[in-house]
Amino acid sequence: MTVLNVDPSPCRKRVKKYVKNACSVKTVKKRLPIIEWLPKYKSEYIIQDIIAGITVGLTAIPQGIAYALIAGLPPEHGLYASLTSGVVYVFFGSCYNVTVGPTAILAAMTARYVSNYSIDFAILAAFLSGVMILVMGVLHLGFLVEFISMPVISGFTTAAALQIAASQLKSLFGTSGSSGNYFSESVYNFAINIKTVKLWEPVLGFSTVGMLLLLRKMGQGCNRTDGIIKQTRWFMSLSRNAIVVIIGMIITYILKVTWDTEPLAIIGDIGSGLPEFTWPPFSTTVRNETLSFTDMLSVLGPGSIALPLVAILESVAIAKAFAEGGRIDATQEMIALGLCNIIGSFGQSMPITGSFTRTALNHVSGVVTPAGGVTKVLLIIVALTYLTSTFYYIPKASLAGLIITAMFSMIDYKILGRLWRNSKRELVVLSITMIVCLFSGLEYGMIAGIIIEAVVLLYNVSRPTVTPNVIKTEKGDIMIVPLTESVSYCAAEHVRKAVLKAASFISDTVIIIDGTNLNNMDFTVASNLMLVVKDLEKKSKLILLLNFNLYLKNLCVDIDPSSHNKFVYAENVLDLPEAFPKSV
Amino acid sequence: MTVLNVDPSPCRKRVKKYVKNACSVKTVKKRLPIIEWLPKYKSEYIIQDIIAGITVGLTAIPQGIAYALIAGLPPEHGLYASLTSGVVYVFFGSCYNVTVGPTAILAAMTARYVSNYSIDFAILAAFLSGVMILVMGVLHLGFLVEFISMPVISGFTTAAALQIAASQLKSLFGTSGSSGNYFSESVYNFAINIKTVKLWEPVLGFSTVGMLLLLRKMGQGCNRTDGIIKQTRWFMSLSRNAIVVIIGMIITYILKVTWDTEPLAIIGDIGSGLPEFTWPPFSTTVRNETLSFTDMLSVLGPGSIALPLVAILESVAIAKAFAEGGRIDATQEMIALGLCNIIGSFGQSMPITGSFTRTALNHVSGVVTPAGGVTKVLLIIVALTYLTSTFYYIPKASLAGLIITAMFSMIDYKILGRLWRNSKRELVVLSITMIVCLFSGLEYGMIAGIIIEAVVLLYNVSRPTVTPNVIKTEKGDIMIVPLTESVSYCAAEHVRKAVLKAASFISDTVIIIDGTNLNNMDFTVASNLMLVVKDLEKKSKLILLLNFNLYLKNLCVDIDPSSHNKFVYAENVLDLPEAFPKSV
């Protein structure tokens, strides 16, 4: 039997490796993955990629329009976002089944700036988020999202779903008044306008919801590789978003043509044609006032940190879900995502990230390479060029139903029960995050959650378990104070007090501070420990430091040279009293 | 041999105990310690307390004046601070040798507000600091200062000493121009006015420094209980601050009377008499502009957090140094300190805290009870009532020499070498703290240091050691991944990756995640672990979770019920292959 150590390559080696790698052909291929997969492309992939592209495209178009409306933008900006990011991701994306584009959460986080200021803020937010994501990717700072715990993510997501759903109440019920920036505001605005509820809007809206649920159910148990009937059910189920919107559109069109009435609110004019390629707005005019770049930055405020964080978070979650234990090049994904946003902002795109629903769709549709995105892009180009006059008739109530249905699936109900049963503390964190999100805005809730978790974590680190044991031997009592693997500066005082308290319990003992497990302590801890040794010696107790490693011993001796004879080494603490007879 | 567990009383018990205690006679005595010690006062204590009071008073008066000048206040405010806090501490103080009053660092931190706005800000700062300290004391939040590591304290203290010394260059050399708010500004102002250096100011200033060093040396080896000569040397050494100031005062007086010249800058008029007792300034007028309470708060900004933190820090450091391993009632000390500041602010006092030098003086002078403070207070009353016209002649250069000498001893040179040899990372933290303090102000440097340490700590917590081992047995390979005592949400992804990486090294193995040491993991970690189990099963590896405690097992099973048969228990990992034959 041999024991073999597998892992850790030391830091210096990694740096060398990194520098060496940065200039190799392999790195160029890594950074521009299309060079890698395109030459290996096989003709049999085409059909599968096209099918996947069509299903994704048929969802991307209604979702793009819907999410633009969530953000308060003209519908074409959602399509622009899917278009440019789709093109960029074909070149830079490393995960074949990930689809990028506008998402409901990013749209909701952008909405406030658009409704309070102007469209320009959504485009600038895309540019800035892109820059942040790119920089974080290059500097390998993606790990920062690991500081967002699952309760915080869950509270945030639930709040986002509720906020988005609440913002659609107006369209779903056809009420008048404005919709509101937060959940609480939207609900309040809906409540005070409740008397203006129309008849046909909720009928269409709820029918849409019902239809979507039916269509989803219809596809269950069906597969891409089944017979023709099941295959049709499967395809209809996957294209359900497009289907309900087309049905809504047809109904409004017929009403218009046959009775010349427009009883339903429709989305109206959509800017036709491809987006112009121009600089993102680095200054803007809002209500006759010119805002400079720094003014705009201060308006975006915490959003300029929260948006890229959420974008990374969403794409990391997707990569984790679809990698199935395989390795993901997180750096490359962040670079791709950053470039999608930056280049997108030149094409008037709203902020984008990986889309969970469309990636899942891509996956079940059997996509093989990132080329699947090409079909999606072509579909969107067709839509923008020829179909905008048709889209004119899309009823807002259909989109509201579509959005609200999507929000159902975003809420994770199970986590509430699990936390209730296992960790009420984390349930509190989830609740606080959610409440702040609902009442002050999503970005503040997320930041509050991160801070609360970090503070709790720091507090826990500052209170390591120190459980002194007394061993009664024939020669007298020994008190053993075992230290944990790592003791940080903030735990120094806690450890000091614990040792002094332990020492005060029984007089006339040998006290052994057991550093067998201790790997790491900083200067503050070492200084405090030397203080304890001195204080206890004044009370004429014999104090010994057991099995401290050489580095830690040197640190202590450097602080207090007289401590050098306190360090003892033994496999079993019971061997000690023989070696160090009680001299006190 | 029996093993006996000493420590932990669970949280609920402690709360009960706390509530019960809050209403007892013991608590009243604890909160008003004078009730405890005064009835037990013995006549033989009087002499010792008086001697200690005189030596401390003889230092408190020149230091009070000097520190008021550091803060840019009229000299009497320093004396007011010593006076009111001295009275309050006699009633509420629980450490017999601690002396409170103005300190150089607090003075330096107040200086900016006084020079940029007005005196009122110093008094309001005292009031607010008092409230903060009192609240933190009552809520047991004193542990917050444990998050200030020694490198940060050291960098901060050194920067404070340098800043204070630099602010005295003007008085020491008699240069014109203003002194400056930060170290960098003071040095710059001194440099551009270097041509205005006078002759007699530096002569007196440096003589003062020399005299102080000589007097200190003179007292070495002498003791309060020695013969009359040694006793005199001891007393002169302890009163050296008063002696040099009196000598300077006599010189200026003689020059004035005999030649009718005033070649040296003197402190001039001092407000005579005791301070009026009135409300602290909750609004003020600066340059004809009225500032409300909230305006004043926003001016104080980070200072309103940093000042009380530093005040607590100084008094904690003192208590630790003079408690000699005894227990300190930290809550009571904070309550006393808070009340000293609050009540002080009604008597136009500047912010106060425990003074290291005067506490040391009190200690070596043989103080027995807090009554020692009474003599000090009487001396200050005499000074304020009868001596202010004498103090008129105190030369600024003498005070500058006195201050600069005190600053020498505040800098801890040794820590630099120790950190260089043992922990360069902490040396960097110290340096950054110091640089930010020197160039942007003390409060910003301290906050920067705290944040850097917290971020590094969080990063370390997110990267626990995960070192997988492969054990080769006759039946095949087993890979063991041991987890540390505690894994937090931010380490979830790291652990996930480590396990997946370990699994990818050798195909066809049993993977055992060893939770023997694991005490604690949160929901995020458990979820990630269940994800790993699923991912590895898809790659048809046998994965087992060894020795997870019941709570953690329940958490995992709640997240993924199918995992319940993965949990195994064994003392030795080698017993496992028999029990779980390789079924993959």
Side-chain angles (χ1 to χ4, degrees):
Chain A
M1 186 190 114
T2 48
V3 174
L4 188 135
N5 192 309
V6 174
D7 188 40
S9 60
C11 181
R12 198 172 301 177
K13 256 192 188 165
R14 269 190 293 167
V15 171
K16 259 193 186 169
K17 211 174 127 192
Y18 180 77
V19 172
K20 203 180 152 193
N21 278 351
C23 330
S24 67
V25 178
K26 208 175 143 195
T27 306
V28 174
K29 280 189 180 171
K30 243 171 120 180
R31 294 290 160 256
L32 207 61
I34 195 169
I35 301 181
E36 182 75 21
W37 62 261
L38 196 57
K40 296 181 190 162
Y41 200 84
K42 291 182 190 159
S43 53
E44 60 258 42
Y45 295 167
I46 290 183
I47 293 293
Q48 269 176 264
D49 278 346
I50 287 179
I51 292 178
I54 291 173
T55 49
V56 172
L58 284 180
T59 306
I61 292 170
Q63 281 194 347
I65 293 173
Y67 296 162
L69 292 188
I70 290 178
L73 295 166
E76 63 268 27
H77 286 277
L79 298 177
Y80 296 166
S82 278
L83 177 67
T84 43
S85 62
V87 174
V88 176
Y89 197 80
V90 169
F91 290 91
F92 294 98
S94 65
C95 296
Y96 68 94
N97 47 16
V98 165
T99 327
V100 292
T103 69
I105 293 185
L106 285 192
M109 292 178 77
T110 318
R112 178 145 47 122
Y113 307 114
V114 176
S115 78
N116 293 349
Y117 298 90
S118 77
I119 296 173
D120 285 350
F121 280 86
I123 300 166
L124 185 70
F127 177 78
L128 290 176
S129 300
V131 172
M132 285 280 284
I133 297 168
L134 186 66
V135 169
M136 283 171 74
V138 172
L139 298 180
H140 294 268
L141 293 178
F143 75 89
L144 287 178
V145 296
E146 291 166 25
F147 286 89
I148 313 177
S149 70
M150 284 195 39
V152 172
I153 295 174
S154 179
F156 172 81
T157 313
T158 305
L162 290 175
Q163 174 178 326
I164 294 164
S167 76
Q168 296 306 310
L169 288 175
K170 180 178 136 59
S171 301
L172 188 67
F173 288 91
T175 52
S176 45
S178 64
S179 133
N181 294 325
Y182 323 129
F183 171 79
S184 48
E185 217 181 351
S186 298
V187 170
Y188 176 78
N189 285 347
F190 176 68
I192 56 170
N193 290 305
I194 193 99
K195 286 187 178 162
T196 62
V197 166
K198 298 216 176 65
L199 175 64
W200 293 111
E201 315 267 0
V203 168
L204 178 60
F206 284 107
S207 310
T208 306
V209 172
M211 223 179 335
L212 283 167
L213 296 178
L214 267 178
L215 281 167
R216 191 170 69 180
K217 198 146 193 125
M218 205 176 87
Q220 272 165 14
C222 302
N223 208 299
R224 173 169 59 88
T225 48
D226 288 337
I228 185 78
I229 295 175
K230 278 201 161 187
Q231 225 176 25
T232 313
R233 275 170 58 186
W234 171 81
F235 185 75
M236 279 180 69
S237 175
L238 292 192
S239 316
R240 58 185 182 274
N241 284 313
I243 292 173
V244 295
V245 169
I246 291 169
I247 292 174
M249 214 160 64
I250 292 171
I251 292 171
T252 3
Y253 185 74
I254 291 173
L255 289 173
K256 164 86 180 160
V257 171
T258 51
W259 287 294
D260 200 25
T261 58
E262 282 181 10
L264 294 159
I266 53 175
I267 61 168
D269 285 323
I270 296 188
S272 180
L274 300 182
E276 254 183 272
F277 214 75
T278 174
W279 287 97
F282 292 127
S283 70
T284 188
T285 308
V286 179
R287 289 180 286 274
N288 292 327
E289 204 184 325
T290 306
L291 297 179
S292 68
F293 182 62
T294 46
D295 293 336
M296 291 179 82
L297 265 190
S298 74
V299 164
L300 287 174
S304 51
I305 299 161
L307 267 170
L309 269 190
V310 171
I312 295 171
L313 197 64
E314 288 198 73
S315 76
V316 166
I318 292 166
K320 235 158 109 177
F322 291 95
E324 297 178 327
R327 299 191 71 184
I328 314 150
D329 186 349
T331 304
Q332 181 56 28
E333 274 306 284
M334 285 171 69
I335 290 175
L337 201 56
L339 290 174
C340 285
N341 272 297
I342 294 174
I343 299 173
S345 72
F346 282 81
Q348 288 114 65
S349 157
M350 58 195 283
I352 64 101
T353 184
S355 153
F356 209 98
T357 46
R358 298 197 296 280
T359 300
L361 209 54
N362 214 6
H363 183 70
V364 296
S365 307
V367 72
V368 191
T369 70
V374 175
T375 320
K376 178 189 83 171
V377 164
L378 290 176
L379 265 186
I380 294 170
I381 291 177
V382 169
L384 274 170
T385 322
Y386 301 108
L387 299 178
T388 46
S389 55
T390 319
F391 291 165
Y392 177 91
Y393 292 101
I394 296 177
K396 283 187 174 176
S398 288
L399 289 175
L402 185 152
I403 292 168
I404 288 176
T405 312
M407 293 309 109
F408 288 153
S409 59
M410 252 172 65
I411 300 176
D412 178 10
Y413 307 96
K414 284 181 193 160
I415 196 175
L416 298 177
R418 284 171 184 160
L419 290 181
W420 175 258
R421 285 187 292 275
N422 297 294
S423 175
K424 300 212 173 41
R425 179 192 73 71
E426 289 180 272
L427 190 61
V428 170
V429 173
L430 186 154
S431 311
I432 295 176
T433 306
M434 198 170 85
I435 290 167
V436 178
C437 282
L438 292 178
F439 291 90
S440 312
L442 295 173
E443 54 275 50
Y444 291 101
M446 159 144 289
I447 291 167
I450 294 172
I451 291 175
I452 293 170
E453 286 279 34
V455 167
V456 171
L457 183 56
L458 285 174
Y459 182 77
N460 286 339
V461 172
S462 77
R463 295 291 176 270
T465 331
V466 184
T467 315
N469 291 313
V470 176
I471 300 186
K472 291 184 185 297
T473 69
E474 310 86 53
K475 300 204 169 186
D477 292 352
I478 306 174
M479 173 157 289
I480 300 172
V481 187
L483 299 180
T484 50
E485 197 182 312
S486 173
V487 184
S488 299
Y489 65 97
C490 52
E493 186 61 23
H494 174 76
V495 169
R496 190 182 87 96
K497 280 185 185 156
V499 174
L500 289 179
K501 193 177 170 190
S504 71
F505 267 101
I506 301 172
S507 59
D508 193 35
T509 32
V510 181
I511 295 159
I512 293 173
I513 299 176
D514 181 359
T516 311
N517 292 322
L518 188 68
N519 268 337
N520 202 17
M521 66 174 175
D522 53 33
F523 187 79
T524 314
V525 180
S527 303
N528 257 298
L529 214 54
M530 292 301 98
L531 202 65
V532 168
V533 170
K534 275 200 171 164
D535 282 348
L536 288 178
E537 280 194 325
K538 277 185 198 147
K539 296 183 173 178
S540 39
K541 308 227 173 190
L542 177 61
I543 183 160
L544 296 173
L545 300 155
L546 178 69
N547 295 343
F548 276 59
N549 71 39
L550 193 66
Y551 162 71
L552 300 178
K553 183 186 165 180
N554 286 343
L555 175 60
C556 292
V557 173
D558 199 357
I559 292 168
D560 180 7
S562 72
S563 71
H564 76 277
N565 61 353
K566 304 275 168 217
F567 291 88
V568 292
Y569 296 87
E571 285 240 340
N572 189 328
V573 76
L574 288 177
D575 304 343
L576 281 177
E578 275 80 37
F580 290 81
K582 262 170 69 182
S583 57
V584 286
Chain B
M1 185 190 114
T2 47
V3 174
L4 188 135
N5 193 310
V6 174
D7 190 41
S9 60
C11 182
R12 200 172 300 178
K13 256 191 188 167
R14 269 189 294 167
V15 171
K16 261 193 186 171
K17 211 174 129 192
Y18 180 77
V19 172
K20 203 179 150 194
N21 278 351
C23 330
S24 68
V25 179
K26 208 176 144 193
T27 306
V28 175
K29 281 188 178 170
K30 244 171 119 180
R31 295 289 159 255
L32 207 62
I34 194 169
I35 301 180
E36 181 76 22
W37 61 261
L38 196 58
K40 296 179 189 162
Y41 200 84
K42 292 182 190 158
S43 54
E44 61 258 42
Y45 296 167
I46 291 183
I47 293 292
Q48 268 176 265
D49 278 347
I50 288 180
I51 292 178
I54 291 174
T55 48
V56 172
L58 284 179
T59 306
I61 293 170
Q63 281 194 348
I65 293 172
Y67 296 162
L69 292 187
I70 288 177
L73 296 166
E76 63 269 25
H77 286 276
L79 298 176
Y80 295 166
S82 278
L83 176 66
T84 44
S85 63
V87 174
V88 176
Y89 197 81
V90 169
F91 290 90
F92 294 97
S94 65
C95 295
Y96 66 95
N97 47 17
V98 165
T99 328
V100 292
T103 68
I105 293 185
L106 285 192
M109 292 178 78
T110 319
R112 178 146 46 123
Y113 307 114
V114 176
S115 78
N116 293 350
Y117 297 90
S118 78
I119 296 173
D120 286 349
F121 281 87
I123 301 166
L124 185 70
F127 177 79
L128 290 176
S129 301
V131 172
M132 285 280 284
I133 297 167
L134 186 67
V135 169
M136 283 170 74
V138 172
L139 299 180
H140 295 268
L141 293 178
F143 74 88
L144 287 178
V145 297
E146 291 166 25
F147 286 90
I148 313 177
S149 71
M150 284 192 42
V152 172
I153 295 173
S154 180
F156 172 81
T157 314
T158 305
L162 290 174
Q163 174 178 327
I164 295 164
S167 75
Q168 296 305 310
L169 289 174
K170 179 178 137 60
S171 301
L172 188 68
F173 288 92
T175 51
S176 45
S178 64
S179 133
N181 293 326
Y182 323 129
F183 172 79
S184 48
E185 217 180 351
S186 298
V187 170
Y188 175 78
N189 286 346
F190 176 68
I192 56 169
N193 291 304
I194 193 97
K195 286 187 177 162
T196 62
V197 166
K198 298 218 176 65
L199 175 63
W200 294 111
E201 315 266 2
V203 168
L204 178 61
F206 284 107
S207 310
T208 306
V209 173
M211 223 177 337
L212 282 167
L213 296 177
L214 266 179
L215 281 166
R216 191 170 71 180
K217 198 148 194 125
M218 205 176 87
Q220 272 165 13
C222 302
N223 209 299
R224 175 169 60 89
T225 49
D226 288 339
I228 184 78
I229 295 176
K230 278 202 160 187
Q231 226 175 24
T232 315
R233 275 170 57 186
W234 171 82
F235 186 76
M236 280 179 69
S237 176
L238 292 193
S239 317
R240 59 184 181 275
N241 284 312
I243 293 173
V244 294
V245 170
I246 292 169
I247 292 175
M249 214 159 62
I250 292 172
I251 291 171
T252 3
Y253 185 74
I254 291 174
L255 288 173
K256 164 85 181 163
V257 171
T258 52
W259 286 294
D260 201 24
T261 58
E262 284 183 8
L264 294 159
I266 54 176
I267 62 168
D269 285 322
I270 297 188
S272 179
L274 300 183
E276 255 183 272
F277 213 74
T278 175
W279 287 97
F282 293 127
S283 69
T284 188
T285 308
V286 179
R287 289 179 286 276
N288 294 328
E289 203 184 326
T290 305
L291 296 179
S292 68
F293 182 61
T294 45
D295 293 336
M296 290 179 83
L297 266 190
S298 74
V299 164
L300 288 174
S304 52
I305 299 161
L307 267 169
L309 269 190
V310 171
I312 295 172
L313 197 65
E314 288 198 74
S315 76
V316 165
I318 291 166
K320 233 156 110 177
F322 292 95
E324 296 178 328
R327 299 190 70 185
I328 314 150
D329 186 348
T331 304
Q332 182 56 27
E333 275 306 284
M334 285 171 70
I335 291 175
L337 201 57
L339 290 174
C340 285
N341 272 297
I342 294 173
I343 299 174
S345 72
F346 282 80
Q348 289 114 64
S349 157
M350 58 196 281
I352 65 102
T353 184
S355 151
F356 208 100
T357 47
R358 300 198 294 284
T359 300
L361 208 55
N362 214 6
H363 183 71
V364 296
S365 308
V367 74
V368 191
T369 70
V374 175
T375 322
K376 179 190 84 171
V377 165
L378 291 176
L379 264 186
I380 294 170
I381 292 177
V382 170
L384 276 169
T385 322
Y386 302 109
L387 299 178
T388 46
S389 55
T390 320
F391 291 166
Y392 178 91
Y393 293 100
I394 296 177
K396 284 188 172 176
S398 288
L399 289 175
L402 185 152
I403 291 168
I404 287 175
T405 313
M407 293 307 109
F408 288 153
S409 59
M410 253 171 64
I411 300 176
D412 179 9
Y413 307 97
K414 284 181 192 160
I415 196 175
L416 299 177
R418 284 171 184 160
L419 290 181
W420 174 257
R421 285 187 294 274
N422 297 294
S423 174
K424 299 212 173 40
R425 179 192 73 71
E426 290 181 272
L427 191 61
V428 171
V429 173
L430 186 154
S431 311
I432 294 175
T433 306
M434 198 169 86
I435 290 167
V436 178
C437 283
L438 292 178
F439 290 90
S440 313
L442 294 173
E443 55 276 50
Y444 291 101
M446 160 146 289
I447 291 167
I450 294 173
I451 290 175
I452 293 169
E453 286 279 33
V455 167
V456 171
L457 183 56
L458 285 174
Y459 182 78
N460 286 338
V461 172
S462 76
R463 295 292 176 269
T465 332
V466 184
T467 315
N469 291 312
V470 176
I471 301 186
K472 292 186 185 295
T473 69
E474 310 86 52
K475 299 204 171 186
D477 292 353
I478 306 175
M479 172 157 291
I480 300 171
V481 186
L483 298 179
T484 50
E485 198 182 312
S486 174
V487 184
S488 299
Y489 65 96
C490 52
E493 186 60 22
H494 175 75
V495 170
R496 190 182 87 96
K497 281 186 185 155
V499 174
L500 289 179
K501 193 177 170 191
S504 71
F505 267 101
I506 301 171
S507 60
D508 193 36
T509 32
V510 181
I511 295 159
I512 293 173
I513 299 178
D514 181 359
T516 311
N517 292 322
L518 187 69
N519 268 336
N520 203 16
M521 65 174 175
D522 52 34
F523 187 79
T524 313
V525 180
S527 304
N528 257 297
L529 214 53
M530 292 301 98
L531 202 64
V532 168
V533 170
K534 275 201 169 163
D535 282 348
L536 287 178
E537 280 193 327
K538 278 185 197 148
K539 296 184 174 176
S540 40
K541 308 226 174 192
L542 177 62
I543 183 160
L544 296 173
L545 301 154
L546 177 70
N547 294 343
F548 277 58
N549 71 39
L550 193 66
Y551 163 72
L552 300 178
K553 183 186 166 181
N554 286 343
L555 177 59
C556 292
V557 173
D558 200 357
I559 291 169
D560 180 6
S562 72
S563 71
H564 77 277
N565 60 354
K566 303 277 168 215
F567 291 88
V568 292
Y569 296 86
E571 286 240 338
N572 189 327
V573 77
L574 287 178
D575 304 342
L576 280 178
E578 273 80 39
F580 289 81
K582 260 171 71 184
S583 55
V584 287

